[in-house]
Amino acid sequence: MPEPSQRQGNTTEHLLTTPHGSQPYTASAQWQTLYENDKPVAELFHVAYTIADQDPAQRPITFVFNGGPGAASAYLHMGALGPRRVVFNPDGSLPRPPVQVVDNGESWLSFTDLVFIDPLGTGFSRMLTKDAEKAEKSDDKSAEKPGDKPDDSADNSAKKFWTVDRDLNALGEFIQAYLSTHHRWLSPVFIAGESYGGFRVAKLCRRLQQDYGVGLCGAVLISPVMEFMLLEGNDYNLSGWATVIPSMAATAVYHGRVDTTDSPAAHGAKAAEFARKTLIPLLALGRTAAAADQQRVFGQLAELIGLPAEVVQRHRGRIDIAVFARELLRHQQRILGLYDGSVTAIDPFPDRVLHEGTDPTLEGIDRLFTGAINSHLRSTLGVNTTLTYNLLSFEVFKAWEFLPESDYRQGFVGSVDDLRVGMALNPYLQVYITHGIYDLVTPYFSSNHLVDQMALNDELRPNLTLRHFQGGHMFYTWDESRRQWFDDMQRFYHQATGK
């Protein structure tokens, strides 16, 4: 565990300048201790932005985290919600170096205080050793330095947190302790999470109320994965093949690979109807489907998603996102980003059958967010630490145990039931689910499909909003989408607080 001198937080005062005026705010970057049996076991790093001159009982507070699992909160922190953001090109594509950070005119700080949480193993959040209690008392603590091999006991203990249940409890414990420490129990409380963070939000809608006594006014799920069975299809799970088709169709329109005058969103809507009413019934027939019917449906699918008919036929209408990303622009020797199909890169191996390049929407953005968050934390906010900021930890991802004991019988992990229970427990809870229409990894139609299957009570259905935008997984990197989303969020918070 780092020595205090090598992990010193800080509280600073700043001024956010937007087209609507200037707003002074306080930034506090700190570590908060987690306990087991009253003993310190871990420290979660977080950054809180607050407005000092407003009544805490009236001022909303939003706890924010990203996903992965293994991703730090820097993506939402520096991409959309925080008072400073990294600059992308207007269409969300990557700019040339160096990194630029500017005041964020669409920061949510204008209508809510913000607390960005880095789960254990991400950001500056670290496990304490098993002797941490003694070390804390004596201040004789071993420093963690970049490149050092972690202590075995700390590593093994950290893995306890890399499970669905322990991760959720860590966030619940953090939120409960933060509300107590900062006297915010009477504030309107919101949670927001992206990708696997959206999965966390759905489950916390239930757990925060049942186990931690935290009532929520609102929950925001950003590009969420809510049911893992829909992430990819196989020979026996057909829904995964269908739910990604609308995103493929929208992406094909964006790249001019479909003969249509429809917008990407409108074409995606037609593809959704086709997937539900035509593709799934055919795939469900398996080998009993008539050859003529297969040829007809696969031809329609090829026209909708812009792929050659022979490619669709070869894959029997089951188009993996990696196949789509490689084949759509093969004639240009370009590949698509999986997290944002509108983004392309040169295919480094166009003559090989399998794609062996990197994803331009995953590895490509690391340089932007790594530079932005390190500059912001260390220079602007004055955080003093030798720790490496773990933007995206594949160690955490690879070690993650996705199946809690309660889900073993199902064989997959999901969160929609928890969201349904959370909304039933609190009929005032407002839920907002949003995606980018070119996201192939967590496609927007998956959430549409799940909401349609939830069978919410008529009293609760108006409390759930679905809204999707131009862009990919991080649609907020598109200037126009970020502005539209900001306007939506202002209305959402007003509705959720009744003010």
Side-chain angles (χ1 to χ4, degrees):
M1 143 176 144
E3 295 178 0
S5 61
Q6 294 176 321
R7 57 161 195 84
Q8 188 173 15
N10 202 18
T11 299
T12 50
E13 302 297 327
H14 304 269
L15 188 68
L16 172 61
T17 302
T18 73
H20 311 292
S22 297
Q23 175 68 65
Y25 65 92
T26 300
S28 181
Q30 306 290 344
W31 282 263
Q32 182 168 293
T33 303
L34 295 180
Y35 295 87
E36 284 184 354
N37 300 320
D38 296 326
K39 295 182 179 180
V41 293
E43 292 180 325
L44 294 191
F45 180 75
H46 62 285
V47 180
Y49 299 101
T50 57
I51 304 298
D53 59 353
Q54 297 190 21
D55 180 3
Q58 302 295 319
R59 174 77 173 169
I61 184 169
T62 304
F63 295 94
V64 185
F65 30 84
N66 270 84
S73 63
Y75 299 99
L76 288 174
H77 187 170
M78 301 300 297
L81 277 60
R84 301 274 289 171
R85 66 171 178 85
V86 66
V87 175
F88 282 75
N89 292 329
D91 63 353
S93 59
L94 302 179
R96 66 174 63 239
V99 177
Q100 296 183 61
V101 178
V102 298
D103 273 1
N104 183 12
E106 291 80 42
S107 172
W108 292 13
L109 190 57
S110 64
F111 50 81
T112 177
D113 290 341
L114 296 163
V115 183
F116 295 94
I117 308 168
D118 290 336
L120 191 66
T122 74
F124 293 143
S125 297
R126 297 292 190 270
M127 194 71 194
L128 305 182
T129 67
K130 62 182 179 180
D131 297 323
E133 187 177 39
K134 293 179 182 179
E136 191 172 65
K137 292 179 181 178
S138 64
D139 276 340
D140 182 20
K141 304 174 183 178
S142 59
E144 178 181 345
K145 299 178 182 178
D148 282 355
K149 184 177 180 180
D151 180 277
D152 286 341
S153 62
D155 181 60
N156 291 332
S157 297
K159 290 180 180 179
K160 294 192 306 182
F161 282 80
W162 298 342
T163 70
V164 172
D165 282 334
R166 189 63 187 93
D167 170 70
L168 293 170
N169 287 336
L171 291 171
E173 292 159 17
F174 177 95
I175 291 170
Q176 189 180 63
Y178 188 95
L179 295 175
S180 295
T181 301
H182 298 276
H183 308 289
R184 297 300 298 265
W185 277 99
L186 299 183
S187 298
V189 177
F190 291 73
I191 51 177
E194 180 179 62
S195 197
Y196 185 81
F199 173 89
R200 287 167 165 149
V201 166
K203 280 194 166 290
L204 286 171
C205 282
R206 177 179 187 172
R207 190 166 300 210
L208 284 175
Q209 296 181 104
Q210 286 187 336
D211 298 345
Y212 295 95
V214 178
L216 296 172
C217 289
V220 184
L221 292 76
I222 305 154
S223 302
V225 50
M226 293 193 288
E227 297 289 327
F228 277 81
M229 67 176 180
L230 293 181
L231 272 189
E232 59 182 44
N234 56 48
D235 286 344
Y236 317 107
N237 170 28
L238 304 180
S239 297
W241 300 119
T243 52
V244 74
I245 294 300
S247 294
M248 291 179 176
T251 300
V253 173
Y254 179 86
H255 290 292
R257 299 298 295 161
V258 175
D259 183 16
T260 181
T261 57
D262 288 335
S263 68
H267 188 67
K270 289 181 178 178
E273 286 297 297
F274 166 83
R276 275 178 162 166
K277 296 180 179 180
T278 305
L279 181 62
I280 285 294
L282 179 86
L283 296 182
L285 291 174
R287 294 180 62 88
T288 67
D293 290 338
Q294 290 186 48
Q295 186 172 7
R296 173 180 55 83
V297 172
F298 293 162
Q300 291 174 331
L301 176 58
E303 292 178 0
L304 281 168
I305 64 176
L307 291 188
E310 59 269 21
V311 172
V312 176
Q313 289 279 357
R314 184 168 68 249
H315 291 277
R316 300 183 300 130
R318 297 160 170 84
I319 307 302
D320 186 89
I321 60 174
V323 170
F324 178 78
R326 183 76 186 286
E327 296 294 338
L328 187 71
L329 300 180
R330 177 183 278 275
H331 64 292
Q332 300 176 7
Q333 296 189 1
R334 301 192 72 85
I335 56 174
L336 310 182
L338 297 179
Y339 286 86
D340 187 341
S342 71
V343 176
T344 69
I346 296 172
D347 187 346
F349 306 107
D351 55 331
R352 298 184 185 178
V353 175
L354 297 177
H355 170 51
E356 299 179 31
T358 57
D359 183 353
T361 54
L362 183 61
E363 290 88 348
I365 64 172
D366 278 4
R367 63 176 174 85
L368 295 179
F369 283 98
T370 298
I373 192 65
N374 275 285
S375 173
H376 184 63
L377 294 178
R378 300 177 192 275
S379 299
T380 305
L381 302 189
V383 177
N384 181 16
T385 180
T386 59
L387 294 173
T388 298
Y389 189 90
N390 293 332
L391 178 70
L392 186 60
S393 172
F394 288 100
E395 177 191 4
V396 174
F397 180 80
K398 291 176 181 178
W400 200 266
E401 294 184 14
F402 283 92
L403 289 175
E405 291 183 4
S406 59
D407 284 337
Y408 278 154
R409 289 184 304 166
Q410 295 176 299
F412 59 86
V413 61
S415 65
V416 176
D417 280 356
D418 296 279
L419 179 60
R420 293 170 72 170
V421 172
M423 294 181 72
L425 289 172
N426 177 3
Y428 302 102
L429 172 62
Q430 299 293 310
V431 176
Y432 186 103
I433 302 174
T434 184
H435 290 261
I437 63 173
Y438 307 127
D439 182 3
L440 303 174
V441 176
T442 59
Y444 73 91
F445 190 59
S446 290
S447 289
N448 291 30
H449 170 69
L450 290 170
V451 168
D452 288 342
Q453 303 304 315
M454 286 174 71
L456 286 174
N457 181 277
D458 289 344
E459 179 184 343
L460 298 178
R461 183 59 185 88
N463 295 350
L464 194 155
T465 300
L466 276 168
R467 177 82 190 277
H468 309 312
F469 297 92
Q470 291 277 320
H473 199 68
M474 293 184 288
F475 59 84
Y476 46 78
T477 62
W478 291 48
D479 286 352
E480 184 59 29
S481 294
R482 187 178 60 256
R483 286 190 285 265
Q484 292 174 353
W485 190 36
F486 173 76
D487 292 340
D488 249 24
M489 286 294 94
Q490 283 187 304
R491 291 189 290 268
F492 176 77
Y493 272 71
H494 177 77
Q495 179 181 354
T497 57
K499 299 170 185 176

